[in-house]
Amino acid sequence: MTGPETSGAETSGAEPFDWRRFLTRWSEEWADAQGDVAELSPDDAAAWESRWLGFAPADEADIAAMEARLGREMPPSYREFLRVSDGWRHAGGFVWKLAGTREAHWHEDAMGLGEEFGDLWGRPVNVEVEEEADEGAARGGLWARGLQLDVASDATSVLLDPADVGPDGEWAARVWASWAPADPQGYPSFAAFMVAKYQEFHCLQAGRAEGEGAPAFVNETTRAQDAAVARARAAALRGEHGEAARLLLTAREYGRPHVTEMLYQVGRLGGGPVGREARQPEPAGFPAPSPFLAELLTVYAVDFLNVGGYKDDWRYADPYHHGAAGRRAADLLRRMREGTYGYRPSGPFGEAVDAARESARWGDTDAAWRILRAALPAWKPLDPDHIAPMGLLGDPVLAPVLTAGRRLELLATPRGGESGPAPSPARDQDPGGLSWVARLGGLRPGQASCGDYRLVLVEGVAPDELPALLGSSPDAALSPPLRSVDLRHYHRPDQRGFSGYDDKALLRVGRAGAGWSFGFEADLSPAFPAERFVSLAQDASARGGLAVVAWGQGRRDDPVFHLSVARDGDLLYAFTARGGVVEDVRGDLPAELAPAALGFGVRGAAAKRAAAGRALDVIADRYGVGLPRLAVTEGRLHSFESRSWIRPPGPGEAYATLGFA
């Protein structure tokens, strides 16, 4: 370690540290940053005039006397520091003086913090593990055993811990501020602590408001870090997001501009070592942000909606504080909630985005990603902070297309005028076929359970023609693309009545294969009404093609499965398996769809779910159809309300209608 550009995490004392160069640069930058020197204290004025924040070096006799007084040999980086300066002024923004050989002393828990922190740390996560309590008590003992280095500070303690010694002989440094109560912040060595305080000094200077009378904060260090930010931007656009993140994380420690915006993009797309460290950048100048930050606003809106936010809670959609910009943000949020907003960049990439959205809104998310992948090299940034097409994450239809693997592929793809090798393609998401809906976790990714569903497959009919065939009213029309959780609010916002003889499905629609469309509803609530069930297959096939209806209830202890197939308005065959019995068999079932051949006679819920999966496999293979898993489980699709799946009451049959005021 030879200079102050290094992050504190890398400064462990294992390599030589050039204290003279480091402290000289710090002192000179501090002096250059001062405004009205007439307002400095006499001690600071002397430091400004000498351009030196330190003191005279300690000699070996001074250090030996200190170690004799304290009864311990000092750790290497602190000893080397003392040989250059016997103490230090302004270690960051909150420690005004650090101890030298004469002022360092054992803390001896002068403030009584040991018991408080010992109680906090001594609560074991596992009460059966006594070592956890012992470790907590040992950590609480920091205050009794620590070497206190703060001489004057803003209620901030700086301790070296002689019980936390690294293989290089360095003592860990701990910093705790009473005005920000939390665990003491740790550093592996005194040198690492000093580099962190130097970086804190830079952050505070970089964030200083204009007009405070101080000169512009530009020096060798800021220029070096700004050059690193420029290299990070180029690396990010070449697809080297790990290298970009490494450079940006260090530049962030120095408070350099543009870093937060770029780190957020890398972190939001899952790249590099950033993870949760990427903070959401504030749209600078809102309510009139740059085009790039306006694009980021769409991502914030999607995140807000995904956690169930309401318009009145979104701080950007506040016309009282933001005027017209607040009204525009509220309108953006409304269009996103309704599914009518779309990300529309310019140029060839914008054309690809439109084509990808067209595929995704009908369920073909794999094709949508292939379109976007091919067009990524043509993407162009809107300003120097822009390193990725974040608007994709703000597009309600396209955002679900960008799985974790695809986001990383996006980050690794050269774009924005830079060149480099293309990454390996992320895998497709849709398994093909139909049987996945009957499997454990199929409709509920991440959950080891089955879902209930009903499915209509129609040949020779486009998805947007399904409402005319199966809609609950003559003027039924498709909704904008919606999430499954938004269907009821959109289609039935004011529903107050519920009838025991009315079971209209909210079907989400899309393409099911060459020449086929689907209507699908997941996690339906009513039980399968065998005695009143009316298959929509005959109505769906009225235009001359085939139609298939499947109804599955896999969550029950005794799963139910119904299958019916029609052509030209006539039923070809059907059966229902329920309660361990196959009932209502009609028509000439193909041999491969015979219930016994499928395994419906075997006892047990798992066996019946497996039999339903085999039936769906036969349908998929026989007719060349499939259902897109990613779009159905996580995406946004058009939808409509179908006619009822159960017949009206017959003579003498009773039913109930519930109404709510």
Side-chain angles (χ1 to χ4, degrees), residues 32-35 202-217:
D32 290 340
Q34 302 312 304
H202 266 265
C203 280
L204 292 171
Q205 290 300 319
R208 183 189 55 208
E210 294 182 2
E212 293 182 356
F217 189 63

Side-chain angles (χ1 to χ4, degrees), residues 4 12 32 135 151 159 199 211 249 290 328 371 464 477:
S12 63
D32 290 340
E135 181 183 349
V151 176
L159 304 176
Q199 292 169 335
L249 284 169
S290 70
R328 287 193 298 271
I371 293 169
D464 58 358

Side-chain angles (χ1 to χ4, degrees), residues 17 34 113 117 165 180 184 210 228 282 382 412 466 505 583 597 636:
F17 187 76
Q34 302 312 304
L113 293 169
F117 277 85
V165 183
E210 294 182 2
E282 183 72 21
L382 295 173
L466 290 178
E583 57 189 34
R636 286 178 177 256

Side-chain angles (χ1 to χ4, degrees), residues 122-305:
R123 297 171 193 148
V125 176
N126 184 345
V127 294
E128 297 179 0
V129 181
E130 295 180 0
E131 290 81 358
E132 291 188 11
D134 294 340
E135 181 183 349
R139 292 171 67 196
L142 165 69
W143 305 101
R145 66 176 179 264
L147 182 66
Q148 182 175 343
L149 298 186
D150 56 285
V151 176
S153 70
D154 184 3
T156 300
S157 298
V158 180
L159 304 176
L160 293 181
D161 188 354
D164 190 351
V165 183
D168 52 4
E170 293 289 355
W171 298 4
R174 306 291 180 197
V175 180
W176 180 75
S178 63
W179 39 264
D183 281 4
Q185 189 169 7
Y187 305 92
S189 66
F190 176 76
F193 158 76
M194 287 293 279
V195 169
K197 296 299 104 178
Y198 171 69
Q199 292 169 335
E200 182 177 274
F201 154 69
H202 266 265
C203 280
L204 292 171
Q205 290 300 319
R208 183 189 55 208
E210 294 182 2
E212 293 182 356
F217 189 63
V218 179
N219 49 58
E220 183 181 349
T221 303
T222 62
R223 286 190 289 269
Q225 290 303 319
D226 289 344
V229 171
R231 294 197 304 275
R233 181 178 187 274
L237 293 175
R238 285 195 304 271
E240 300 169 5
H241 56 85
E243 173 65 6
R246 185 188 68 80
L247 292 167
L248 291 170
L249 284 169
T250 299
R252 188 184 66 179
E253 298 303 315
Y254 289 89
R256 302 319 301 154
H258 313 294
V259 170
T260 300
E261 289 77 9
M262 285 191 272
L263 268 179
Y264 175 76
Q265 294 169 79
V266 175
R268 190 68 171 74
L269 291 166
V274 183
R276 296 184 180 180
E277 295 182 49
R279 297 188 293 267
Q280 187 182 89
E282 183 72 21
F286 188 85
S290 70
F292 159 57
L293 288 170
E295 183 174 305
L296 275 191
L297 204 62
T298 67
V299 183
Y300 301 169
V302 166
D303 291 344
F304 179 74
L305 291 174

Side-chain angles (χ1 to χ4, degrees), residues 20 23 27 43-44 47 50 52-58 81-90 96-103 151:
R20 171 62 63 181
L23 297 177
S27 298
D43 195 41
D44 284 351
S50 66
W52 178 242
L53 283 171
F55 299 89
F81 161 77
L82 292 171
R83 289 190 177 105
V84 177
S85 178
D86 195 4
W88 192 251
R89 304 176 182 91
H90 296 297
W96 305 320
K97 186 179 180 183
L98 279 176
T101 55
R102 292 169 179 78
E103 295 163 310
V151 176

Side-chain angles (χ1 to χ4, degrees), residues 14 25 58 77 128 132 149 153 184 203 211 220 236 267 276 323 325 348 416-417 498 503 509 564 575 597 629:
R25 178 182 290 191
S77 64
E128 297 179 0
E132 291 188 11
L149 298 186
S153 70
C203 280
E220 183 181 349
R276 296 184 180 180
F498 302 86
D503 183 19
V509 306
S564 50
F575 73 88
R629 180 176 181 178

